[in-house]
């Protein structure tokens, strides 16, 4: 029996293990696939990290390469995690899925595909983004259209000839459109209301500014709606050295833009006529972000180069009315062969039998510590702050949770 079992060998589970080792706490990490499984099996081939290399600062291993401002390809990030697990001697058991967990008689009882086990404490590091979410009104089973999502789309070459409809214009949708365009594919994009941000502003990456202006440290209580904890991330890309992406750029590069997808019915796809609103919302977000930085620089009396403007390809489209905006199309008549749903990811903790979740099913914790004895979470969005859900924020949270686990195991 272990003192503590960690479920999940993504960066959060690995960071937790390293922090527990510091206290000599006996533990193991159970992983249903391999180390970094989400990056291996839920990202497309050409995926690049959106966050620059300098944000990769796992406990005991800050980024030490010679390209701190670059962006890692997913294969390099998987290597980075695997090397970390190896170098730090992390006790991982791969290909073991935990299917049920319940606290009984001072222990957590786990069911796994390798049989039952017991542990004094349980740390869940299975991410906010677990399963691709497809809108309920999207059953295309009656058509010959290939239906993929942001987690199982791999490469443009694997798609049949014909047009590709991407549904969703948050981070993944925009990056997938970029990938398809680069391969010369004919793309239609159904847009939603997502912000965009410039990749660089006043000589710094946006993540530098997120940190400086306090966005990385935002708490869940600062959000207007608790569901914003897992809402779509602003449009940006780390591919090809990192660059700004925008609906304007896609329009100018030949992508046909539509409003928000509203459903499929008797061979017809329906869309809202809100493209202009969606473009405006993205631009407003970008402008607000830049003004906040300007104000910060001014208030702090800092020296940064002036704004030189982004590539004019992102400039507003003067006469938006030139873009026809149908409220329905027939995918067959349009020659659409493939639909890629980039409509977000969802979490599912239903395998944990405990009264430890809010009305959305999200863990109720104080910085990762649930009110149920011996139950901890790590790596989820806004567990403590906004950066809790990305690599950049994991070290502080992992240290905190490991210290709480040490105290629990001492007193239990
Ligand atoms: C498309 C996308 C792009 C992103 N880009 C970035 C980025 O550029 N930079 C950044 O910092 N963050 C990024 N993130 C956010 C964040 O880093 C990831 O969600 C990250 O994977 C969270 O780390 P984690 O270790 O908590 O979870 P994961 O890396 O998802 O690891 C969880 C692990 O748990 C395993 N697991 C799940 N359930 C079980 C079970 N029941 N039993 C056993 N094992 C289980 C999974 O196989 C997986 O390996 C991105 C997220 C997404 C979805």
């Amino acid at each position: 029996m272990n003192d503590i079992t960690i479920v999940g060998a993504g960066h959060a589970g690995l960071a937790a293990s390293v922090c527990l080792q510091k206290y000599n706490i006996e533990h193991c990490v159970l992983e249903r696939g391999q180390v970094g499984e989400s990056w291996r099996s839920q990202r497309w081939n050409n995926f690049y990290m959106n966050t620059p290399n300098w944000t990769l600062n796992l406990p005991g291993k800050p980024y030490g390469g010679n390209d701190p401002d670059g962006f890692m390809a997913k294969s390099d990030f998987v290597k980075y995690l695997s090397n970390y697990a190896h170098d730090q001697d992390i006790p991982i058991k791969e290909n073991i899925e935990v299917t049920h967990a319940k606290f009984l008689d001072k222990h957590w009882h786990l069911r796994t595909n390798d049989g039952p086990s017991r542990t004094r404490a349980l740390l869940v590091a299975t991410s906010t983004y677990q399963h691709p979410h497809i809108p309920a009104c999207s059953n295309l089973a009656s058509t010959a259209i290939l239906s993929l999502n942001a987690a199982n789309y791999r490469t443009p070459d694997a798609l049949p000839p014909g047009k590709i409809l991407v549904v969703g214009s948050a981070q993944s949708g925009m990056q997938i459109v970029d990938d398809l365009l680069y391969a010369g594919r004919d793309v239609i994009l159904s847009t939603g209301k997502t912000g965009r941000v410039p990749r660089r502003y006043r000589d710094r990456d946006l993540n530098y500014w997120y940190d400086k202006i306090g966005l990385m440290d935002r708490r869940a209580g600062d959000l207007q709606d608790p569901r914003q904890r897992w809402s779509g991330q602003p449009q940006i890309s780390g591919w090809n050295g990192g660059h700004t992406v925008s609906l304007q750029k896609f329009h100018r590069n030949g992508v046909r833009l539509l409003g928000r997808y509203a459903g499929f019915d008797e061979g017809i796809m329906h869309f809202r006529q809100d493209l202009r609103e969606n473009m405006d919302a993205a631009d407003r977000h970008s402008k607000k972000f830049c003004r906040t930085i300007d104000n910060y620089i001014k208030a702090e009396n800092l020296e940064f180069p002036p704004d030189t403007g982004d590539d004019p390809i992102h400039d507003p489209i003067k006469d938006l009315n030139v873009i026809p905006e149908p409220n329905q199309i027939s995918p067959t008549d349009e020659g659409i062969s493939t639909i890629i749903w980039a409509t977000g990811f969802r979490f599912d903790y239903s395998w944990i039998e405990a009264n430890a979740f809010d009305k959305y099913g999200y863990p109720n914790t104080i910085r990762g510590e649930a009110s149920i004895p011996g139950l901890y979470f790590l790596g989820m969005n806004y567990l403590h702050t906004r950066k809790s859900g990305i690599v950049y924020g994991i070290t502080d949270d992992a240290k905190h949770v490991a210290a709480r686990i040490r105290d629990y195991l001492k007193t239990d």
Side-chain angles (χ1 to χ4, degrees), residues 7-13 30-39 42-44 47-51 55-56 81 96-99 125-130 171-172 175 345 351 378-381 389-392 394:
V7 184
H11 74 259
L30 302 184
E31 165 56 54
R32 68 178 167 198
Q34 294 173 268
V35 171
E37 185 60 38
S38 304
W39 304 92
Q42 295 202 324
R43 309 280 182 272
W44 56 98
F47 175 88
Y48 275 69
M49 301 294 284
N50 310 299
T51 42
T55 64
L56 307 178
L81 292 179
I96 298 199
E97 179 164 16
V98 182
T99 52
T126 55
S127 176
T128 311
Y129 304 111
Q130 297 169 10
Q171 220 164 69
S172 294
Q175 292 171 8
F345 284 79
W351 55 275
L378 193 65
M380 287 96 191
N381 292 1
I390 61 171
V391 182
Y392 187 50
I394 204 64

Side-chain angles (χ1 to χ4, degrees), residues 383-394:
L383 205 61
H384 180 50
T385 61
R386 179 183 173 140
K387 66 176 186 276
S388 294
I390 61 171
V391 182
Y392 187 50
I394 204 64

Side-chain angles (χ1 to χ4, degrees), residues 53-271:
N53 294 334
W54 58 260
T55 64
L56 307 178
N57 57 355
L58 295 180
K61 194 170 184 197
Y63 175 76
N66 55 9
D67 188 15
D69 291 324
F71 301 88
M72 256 187 214
K74 80 155 185 181
S75 51
D76 290 331
F77 187 61
V78 168
K79 241 183 264 164
Y80 171 81
L81 292 179
S82 302
N83 290 343
Y84 183 69
H86 177 265
D87 296 348
Q88 306 285 333
D89 262 337
I90 296 179
I92 302 175
K93 293 184 184 166
E94 292 184 325
N95 301 312
I96 298 199
E97 179 164 16
V98 182
T99 52
H100 186 256
K102 185 174 181 168
F103 189 69
L104 208 64
D105 297 333
K106 293 193 165 187
H107 289 93
W108 281 91
H109 296 253
L110 307 182
R111 287 207 293 264
T112 78
N113 57 339
D114 193 40
S117 67
R118 275 191 328 152
T119 179
R120 290 176 65 201
L122 178 67
L123 191 153
V124 180
T126 55
S127 176
T128 311
Y129 304 111
Q130 297 169 10
H131 310 288
H133 165 72
I134 314 294
C137 50
S138 57
N139 187 354
L140 303 171
S142 61
T143 72
I145 296 170
L146 175 64
S147 178
L148 298 175
N149 56 60
N152 64 12
Y153 161 70
R154 286 290 165 270
T155 173
D157 305 342
L159 306 182
K163 294 182 190 169
I164 299 151
L165 169 65
V166 176
V167 181
S169 59
Q171 220 164 69
S172 294
M174 297 294 275
Q175 292 171 8
I176 289 171
V177 171
D178 235 3
D179 199 34
L180 295 166
L181 269 185
Y182 188 69
R185 300 299 301 251
D186 201 344
V187 185
I188 303 173
L189 173 63
S190 164
T191 60
K193 230 172 238 68
T194 313
R196 72 178 180 92
V197 272
R199 179 74 265 177
R200 289 182 77 79
Y201 185 66
R202 300 190 67 172
D203 205 31
R204 290 289 187 280
D205 185 80
L206 69 99
N207 285 281
Y208 173 88
W209 294 120
Y210 273 171
D211 210 15
K212 292 290 172 200
I213 63 181
L215 272 183
M216 288 284 196
D217 295 319
R218 266 182 115 183
R219 308 286 289 266
D222 299 330
L223 302 173
Q224 283 169 354
D225 182 328
R227 287 171 296 184
Q228 285 175 310
R229 286 176 292 177
W230 49 86
S231 62
Q233 299 297 314
Q235 302 160 345
I236 197 66
S237 174
W239 175 66
N240 207 8
H243 58 279
T244 306
V245 287
S246 68
L247 297 174
Q248 290 88 322
K249 175 183 168 182
F250 287 161
H251 170 71
R252 290 183 170 112
N253 284 340
V255 175
R256 181 173 174 198
L257 300 176
L258 300 175
R260 189 184 180 85
Y261 172 75
F264 178 73
D265 181 25
E266 298 190 2
I268 299 293
M269 299 190 85
H270 299 272
F271 298 88

Side-chain angles (χ1 to χ4, degrees), residues 189 191-192 247 256-260 272-281 320 323-325:
L189 173 63
T191 60
L247 297 174
R256 181 173 174 198
L257 300 176
L258 300 175
R260 189 184 180 85
R272 288 193 205 156
Q273 290 179 307
D274 58 1
L275 172 61
R276 286 153 190 81
E277 281 169 48
N278 296 343
M279 281 182 135
D280 285 348
L320 263 183
I323 309 180
E325 209 187 337

